[in-house]
């Protein structure tokens, strides 16, 4: 395909009006918040595992539950 054929296929995006931009912004904030929550839960999970491993290394008599 030649360049002018691609130009016909791509439609320009109109700028958002204030109401549309507000909705777009709120959606973006929701996605970012969900991602931040997921990352925080993973971080806390890794921290708990590290603490569990360090306790088991300090006290070798206890067995690690599986």
């Amino acid at each position: 395909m030649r360049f002018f054929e691609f130009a016909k296929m791509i439609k320009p995006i109109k700028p958002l009006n204030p109401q549309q931009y507000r909705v777009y912004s709120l959606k973006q904030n929701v996605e970012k918040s969900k991602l931040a929550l997921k990352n925080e839960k993973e971080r806390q999970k890794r921290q708990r595992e590290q603490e569990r491993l360090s306790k088991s290394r300090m006290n070798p008599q206890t067995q690690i539950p599986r």
Side-chain angles (χ1 to χ4, degrees):
M1 290 186 119
R2 290 180 242 154
F3 177 74
F4 70 90
E5 293 173 327
F6 282 111
K8 290 179 184 177
M9 292 173 39
I10 300 172
K11 295 181 181 179
I13 299 173
K14 295 180 183 177
L16 300 176
N17 64 29
Q19 294 87 6
Q20 291 171 329
Y21 186 76
R22 178 167 167 72
V23 171
Y24 173 78
S25 175
L26 291 171
K27 285 181 182 179
Q28 291 297 316
N29 288 339
V30 168
E31 290 174 7
K32 288 178 184 178
S33 296
K34 286 180 182 179
L35 183 60
L37 178 63
K38 179 185 167 201
N39 290 338
E40 180 63 22
K41 284 183 177 182
E42 288 176 0
R43 185 192 68 77
Q44 289 179 5
K45 184 178 177 181
R46 285 193 307 270
Q47 185 178 8
R48 282 193 305 270
E49 282 295 314
Q50 283 296 108
E51 290 173 0
R52 186 180 68 81
L53 286 173
S54 66
K55 285 181 184 178
S56 67
R57 287 181 182 157
M58 292 178 76
N59 190 359
Q61 297 164 352
T62 61
Q63 290 190 352
I64 300 173
R66 292 184 185 207

